Amino acid sequence: MLNPRSILRAAALVVIPTIAAAQTGIRSVQPSARVNQYGNPEKRAPRPTASAITAADLMTRIYIFADDSMEGRDAPYESNARGNAYIVRELMRLGLKPAGDHGTFLQQLPYVRRTVSSASSLVVDGAPLVMGTDFIVTSRGMPKIIGGVQAIYGGVAGNPASMITAEQAANRFVVLSAPVPIAEGAAGAIPAGGGRGGRGGGAGAIGVLALRFAGAAGIATVSGD
């Protein structure tokens, strides 16, 4: 289902420097204040900035822009407009000339959100499955609309010997089974995945899928509870 919306993006760049842990002179952290993994305070009170570009000034602006009150600045929500408004105020305060739409610092961009329709259904061996109860749909990237293609079972993810050929997968939607975990060191064991590799077995397994099913209309991995 397509829900076209518009968002406003501030036409400005925010430069975020790496601030070394040794720069303790620019912090005003109370002894009991919590710090993050880089040794910087989780919160930092805003303070007046100077004309020179300094680490302290950049920290002030970055802490404001990244504060929880900005709620992630996610489009198309109000938090995005809140973050844009802060950047615009800073640009105006610096005396810069706008080069955005209609003489502003902002540029309007198309925004499209794709979601799974509540009318979607999945039937396996004649048995209807309920979305949200029997199955869920997730994506690791930008989803695309796929329609009018044949679905085909492709084998077990991470096990090339069980998978169909590239010719069989061409222009079809390939459905794979997630590998069944096997005790480490056992015969036929599939290495456990890491990071974004998921249960399918890390970057190596993803590379095998990308090469073998490059011509497929889409790929899905089905896993149990």
Side-chain angles (χ1 to χ4, degrees):
M1 181 175 61
L2 299 180
N3 296 319
R5 299 187 185 182
S6 295
I7 60 173
L8 292 179
R9 291 288 192 188
L13 295 177
V14 178
V15 180
I16 302 179
T18 301
I19 301 175
Q23 294 177 310
T24 55
I26 63 175
R27 304 188 191 123
S28 58
V29 187
Q30 299 298 324
S32 60
R34 294 194 304 176
V35 297
N36 60 23
Q37 58 181 319
Y38 304 106
N40 295 313
E42 291 187 353
K43 296 287 185 178
R44 186 175 189 270
R47 61 204 65 189
T49 57
S51 57
I53 298 177
T54 65
D57 280 5
L58 288 171
M59 283 186 71
T60 290
R61 291 183 171 92
I62 292 168
Y63 269 79
I64 292 173
F65 194 63
D67 191 77
D68 291 342
S69 62
M70 292 291 185
E71 299 177 314
R73 309 171 304 281
D74 188 22
Y77 302 110
E78 177 62 27
S79 58
N80 180 70
R82 194 179 305 130
N84 290 344
Y86 169 71
I87 294 178
V88 168
R89 287 196 303 270
E90 290 297 297
L91 295 175
M92 293 177 64
R93 193 166 68 88
L94 292 171
L96 300 179
K97 294 182 179 180
D101 295 342
H102 310 295
T104 69
F105 286 100
L106 302 174
Q107 180 182 17
Q108 185 169 320
L109 301 174
Y111 179 84
V112 176
R113 169 169 289 182
R114 293 188 175 98
T115 60
V116 180
S117 170
S118 58
S120 298
S121 62
L122 180 64
V123 178
V124 178
D125 289 336
L129 304 181
V130 179
M131 186 174 67
T133 301
D134 301 316
F135 73 96
I136 59 173
V137 180
T138 61
S139 174
R140 288 178 177 164
M142 181 67 69
K144 64 179 180 179
I145 299 175
I146 301 174
V149 298
Q150 179 185 3
I152 184 172
Y153 177 67
V156 179
N159 186 351
S162 72
M163 289 190 278
I164 61 176
T165 65
E167 290 75 16
Q168 293 171 318
N171 301 317
R172 292 185 172 93
F173 188 83
V174 180
V175 180
L176 300 169
S177 299
V180 178
I182 304 175
E184 186 176 353
I190 299 173
R196 293 180 180 265
R199 297 177 64 184
I206 294 176
V208 171
L209 292 179
L211 289 174
R212 179 167 298 196
F213 300 144
I219 307 172
T221 302
V222 179
S223 60
D225 295 337

PDB file of all heavy atoms in Angstrom, residues 87-96 105:
ATOM      1  N   ILE A  87      18.274  23.527  12.751  1.00  0.00           N
ATOM      2  CA  ILE A  87      19.326  23.840  11.775  1.00  0.00           C
ATOM      3  C   ILE A  87      19.039  25.178  11.097  1.00  0.00           C
ATOM      4  O   ILE A  87      19.948  25.993  10.904  1.00  0.00           O
ATOM      5  CB  ILE A  87      19.437  22.714  10.728  1.00  0.00           C
ATOM      6  CG1 ILE A  87      19.929  21.427  11.386  1.00  0.00           C
ATOM      7  CG2 ILE A  87      20.389  23.116   9.605  1.00  0.00           C
ATOM      8  CD1 ILE A  87      20.025  20.255  10.443  1.00  0.00           C
ATOM      9  N   VAL A  88      17.779  25.408  10.745  1.00  0.00           N
ATOM     10  CA  VAL A  88      17.425  26.671  10.092  1.00  0.00           C
ATOM     11  C   VAL A  88      17.736  27.852  11.004  1.00  0.00           C
ATOM     12  O   VAL A  88      18.280  28.880  10.561  1.00  0.00           O
ATOM     13  CB  VAL A  88      15.938  26.670   9.694  1.00  0.00           C
ATOM     14  CG1 VAL A  88      15.487  28.074   9.287  1.00  0.00           C
ATOM     15  CG2 VAL A  88      15.704  25.692   8.546  1.00  0.00           C
ATOM     16  N   ARG A  89      17.411  27.743  12.283  1.00  0.00           N
ATOM     17  CA  ARG A  89      17.711  28.837  13.219  1.00  0.00           C
ATOM     18  C   ARG A  89      19.205  29.112  13.282  1.00  0.00           C
ATOM     19  O   ARG A  89      19.636  30.271  13.311  1.00  0.00           O
ATOM     20  CB  ARG A  89      17.173  28.490  14.614  1.00  0.00           C
ATOM     21  CG  ARG A  89      15.676  28.560  14.752  1.00  0.00           C
ATOM     22  CD  ARG A  89      15.255  28.603  16.211  1.00  0.00           C
ATOM     23  NE  ARG A  89      15.753  27.460  16.962  1.00  0.00           N
ATOM     24  CZ  ARG A  89      15.104  26.323  17.101  1.00  0.00           C
ATOM     25  NH1 ARG A  89      13.930  26.159  16.496  1.00  0.00           N
ATOM     26  NH2 ARG A  89      15.598  25.338  17.818  1.00  0.00           N
ATOM     27  N   GLU A  90      20.008  28.042  13.282  1.00  0.00           N
ATOM     28  CA  GLU A  90      21.455  28.229  13.339  1.00  0.00           C
ATOM     29  C   GLU A  90      21.975  28.877  12.050  1.00  0.00           C
ATOM     30  O   GLU A  90      22.840  29.751  12.084  1.00  0.00           O
ATOM     31  CB  GLU A  90      22.147  26.883  13.570  1.00  0.00           C
ATOM     32  CG  GLU A  90      21.925  26.301  14.951  1.00  0.00           C
ATOM     33  CD  GLU A  90      22.505  27.200  16.035  1.00  0.00           C
ATOM     34  OE1 GLU A  90      23.723  27.408  16.062  1.00  0.00           O
ATOM     35  OE2 GLU A  90      21.708  27.713  16.849  1.00  0.00           O
ATOM     36  N   LEU A  91      21.448  28.482  10.902  1.00  0.00           N
ATOM     37  CA  LEU A  91      21.873  29.070   9.631  1.00  0.00           C
ATOM     38  C   LEU A  91      21.505  30.550   9.559  1.00  0.00           C
ATOM     39  O   LEU A  91      22.288  31.381   9.089  1.00  0.00           O
ATOM     40  CB  LEU A  91      21.235  28.315   8.466  1.00  0.00           C
ATOM     41  CG  LEU A  91      21.648  26.847   8.297  1.00  0.00           C
ATOM     42  CD1 LEU A  91      20.846  26.200   7.171  1.00  0.00           C
ATOM     43  CD2 LEU A  91      23.136  26.721   8.030  1.00  0.00           C
ATOM     44  N   MET A  92      20.310  30.884  10.035  1.00  0.00           N
ATOM     45  CA  MET A  92      19.885  32.286  10.048  1.00  0.00           C
ATOM     46  C   MET A  92      20.753  33.100  11.000  1.00  0.00           C
ATOM     47  O   MET A  92      21.137  34.236  10.703  1.00  0.00           O
ATOM     48  CB  MET A  92      18.410  32.375  10.443  1.00  0.00           C
ATOM     49  CG  MET A  92      17.461  31.772   9.422  1.00  0.00           C
ATOM     50  SD  MET A  92      15.721  31.814   9.943  1.00  0.00           S
ATOM     51  CE  MET A  92      15.459  33.596   9.996  1.00  0.00           C
ATOM     52  N   ARG A  93      21.068  32.502  12.139  1.00  0.00           N
ATOM     53  CA  ARG A  93      21.884  33.213  13.131  1.00  0.00           C
ATOM     54  C   ARG A  93      23.286  33.476  12.597  1.00  0.00           C
ATOM     55  O   ARG A  93      23.915  34.489  12.938  1.00  0.00           O
ATOM     56  CB  ARG A  93      21.947  32.381  14.414  1.00  0.00           C
ATOM     57  CG  ARG A  93      22.503  33.127  15.627  1.00  0.00           C
ATOM     58  CD  ARG A  93      22.204  32.365  16.893  1.00  0.00           C
ATOM     59  NE  ARG A  93      22.930  31.120  16.958  1.00  0.00           N
ATOM     60  CZ  ARG A  93      24.156  31.006  17.474  1.00  0.00           C
ATOM     61  NH1 ARG A  93      24.779  32.077  17.939  1.00  0.00           N
ATOM     62  NH2 ARG A  93      24.747  29.837  17.526  1.00  0.00           N
ATOM     63  N   LEU A  94      23.775  32.575  11.727  1.00  0.00           N
ATOM     64  CA  LEU A  94      25.095  32.756  11.139  1.00  0.00           C
ATOM     65  C   LEU A  94      25.082  33.730   9.963  1.00  0.00           C
ATOM     66  O   LEU A  94      26.135  34.064   9.416  1.00  0.00           O
ATOM     67  CB  LEU A  94      25.642  31.400  10.664  1.00  0.00           C
ATOM     68  CG  LEU A  94      25.975  30.386  11.777  1.00  0.00           C
ATOM     69  CD1 LEU A  94      26.287  29.026  11.163  1.00  0.00           C
ATOM     70  CD2 LEU A  94      27.133  30.875  12.621  1.00  0.00           C
ATOM     71  N   GLY A  95      23.893  34.154   9.556  1.00  0.00           N
ATOM     72  CA  GLY A  95      23.788  35.125   8.479  1.00  0.00           C
ATOM     73  C   GLY A  95      23.945  34.544   7.086  1.00  0.00           C
ATOM     74  O   GLY A  95      24.249  35.282   6.139  1.00  0.00           O
ATOM     75  N   LEU A  96      23.731  33.231   6.941  1.00  0.00           N
ATOM     76  CA  LEU A  96      23.851  32.613   5.628  1.00  0.00           C
ATOM     77  C   LEU A  96      22.608  32.887   4.781  1.00  0.00           C
ATOM     78  O   LEU A  96      21.521  33.122   5.302  1.00  0.00           O
ATOM     79  CB  LEU A  96      24.051  31.102   5.780  1.00  0.00           C
ATOM     80  CG  LEU A  96      25.296  30.666   6.562  1.00  0.00           C
ATOM     81  CD1 LEU A  96      25.354  29.152   6.648  1.00  0.00           C
ATOM     82  CD2 LEU A  96      26.562  31.201   5.898  1.00  0.00           C
ATOM     83  N   PHE A 105      15.495  27.805   3.621  1.00  0.00           N
ATOM     84  CA  PHE A 105      16.612  26.882   3.782  1.00  0.00           C
ATOM     85  C   PHE A 105      16.174  25.431   3.573  1.00  0.00           C
ATOM     86  O   PHE A 105      16.973  24.516   3.747  1.00  0.00           O
ATOM     87  CB  PHE A 105      17.219  27.017   5.180  1.00  0.00           C
ATOM     88  CG  PHE A 105      18.038  28.258   5.370  1.00  0.00           C
ATOM     89  CD1 PHE A 105      17.511  29.361   6.022  1.00  0.00           C
ATOM     90  CD2 PHE A 105      19.340  28.331   4.904  1.00  0.00           C
ATOM     91  CE1 PHE A 105      18.268  30.506   6.208  1.00  0.00           C
ATOM     92  CE2 PHE A 105      20.101  29.467   5.082  1.00  0.00           C
ATOM     93  CZ  PHE A 105      19.569  30.565   5.736  1.00  0.00           C
TER      94      PHE A 105
END
